[in-house]
Amino acid sequence: MSTAEETAGGEAPPWGEVTPDAARRLLVAAVEAFAERGYHATTTRDIAGRAGMSPAALYIHYKTKEELLHRISRIGHEKAVDILRTAARTEGTSTERLAEAVSSFVRWHAGGRTTARVVQYELDSLGPEARAEIVALRRQADAEVRGIIEDGVEAGEFDVPDVPGTTLAVLSLCIDVARWFNVNGSRTPDEVGALYADLVLRMVGAEPVPAGSGS
């Protein structure tokens, strides 16, 4: 399955906000190349070739290879923050909100695993200014999950002695799905999302969410 065909847990294909079409094709080609070869081993010629364009055409839309990675990373992290913020602000108990946050975040990493691998694992390839912007978005994602866990502790739903450490563990579990998920494997993104939501609720000492909730 190509990056252009991947969906995040059944959502519309990504990158619709990238225009014109040539810029989107180049971005999709860059995602596939970075995921396959790594950022440093990928050349602008590789990216242009995958997009069916000349290297000169790439520079019309992106000044550098890093600009491409930066845009990919920014869009991906903004989506990640939106997923977690939406879950954090839904109606329901902290247990239900944490289950929804985990299941939806995992579905995104499984359904768009190629994109997610680049978004999550190429941070150190960015220059200082771009990296600082992405780190700020990561902190926002962290804050959304941490807020749910803090609410759960305050409400007596969770037993968590170390909220920051637990938040890091929860996010790390979700992110790692992009590394190992296989579309030909035995589980769908929805099934992995449900499994991980259950695991995280056990981690924080919460009562299980009734069937049909948190997914």
Side-chain angles (χ1 to χ4, degrees), residues 13-19 24 71 75 78:
W15 316 121
E17 63 270 69
V18 180
T19 57
R24 182 167 53 252
R71 190 164 193 195
I75 292 172
E78 287 172 347

Side-chain angles (χ1 to χ4, degrees), residues 186-210:
S186 60
R187 297 180 190 270
T188 67
D190 283 346
E191 289 169 340
V192 178
L195 171 64
Y196 273 50
D198 180 70
L199 291 173
V200 167
L201 293 184
R202 293 173 188 271
M203 180 192 301
V204 300
E207 293 292 326
V209 174

Side-chain angles (χ1 to χ4, degrees), residues 4-211:
E5 295 170 328
E6 284 185 350
T7 59
E11 298 174 3
W15 316 121
E17 63 270 69
V18 180
T19 57
D21 179 67
R24 182 167 53 252
R25 284 164 50 202
L26 286 163
L27 188 142
V28 169
V31 170
E32 292 173 348
F34 294 157
E36 181 181 314
R37 300 168 59 95
Y39 174 78
H40 292 293
T42 298
T43 67
T44 53
R45 184 174 294 275
D46 294 331
I47 295 168
R50 285 173 182 260
M53 301 166 68
S54 69
L58 184 148
Y59 295 109
I60 295 173
H61 303 284
Y62 303 99
K63 295 178 182 178
T64 64
K65 183 175 71 168
E66 186 192 344
E67 184 179 333
L68 260 169
L69 177 62
H70 183 203
R71 190 164 193 195
I72 292 164
S73 191
R74 185 177 65 246
I75 292 172
H77 279 87
E78 287 172 347
K79 178 61 177 176
V81 171
D82 181 64
I83 288 169
L84 294 171
R85 182 170 291 154
T86 297
R89 298 180 182 181
T90 56
E91 296 288 336
T93 64
S94 298
T95 299
E96 291 166 341
R97 290 187 292 130
L98 184 59
E100 174 59 25
V102 171
S103 61
S104 57
F105 203 40
V106 165
R107 288 198 304 271
W108 183 71
H109 282 85
R113 62 206 168 280
T114 304
T115 297
R117 282 201 302 273
V118 176
V119 168
Q120 299 291 7
Y121 294 114
E122 288 287 2
L123 177 64
D124 290 338
S125 298
L126 293 170
E129 186 175 341
R131 189 180 190 281
E133 180 185 357
I134 302 307
V135 167
L137 287 168
R138 287 193 175 210
R139 287 176 179 155
Q140 290 179 38
D142 179 280
E144 295 298 339
V145 175
R146 187 172 65 251
I148 298 172
I149 295 175
E150 287 172 344
D151 288 347
V153 171
E154 185 176 350
E157 294 178 47
F158 302 158
D159 180 12
V160 179
D162 183 347
V163 171
T166 301
T167 301
L168 177 61
V170 169
L171 289 170
S172 297
L173 278 172
C174 297
I175 289 168
D176 195 56
V177 170
R179 182 185 58 79
W180 63 259
F181 184 80
N182 184 344
V183 68
N184 296 316
S186 60
R187 297 180 190 270
T188 67
D190 283 346
E191 289 169 340
V192 178
L195 171 64
Y196 273 50
D198 180 70
L199 291 173
V200 167
L201 293 184
R202 293 173 188 271
M203 180 192 301
V204 300
E207 293 292 326
V209 174

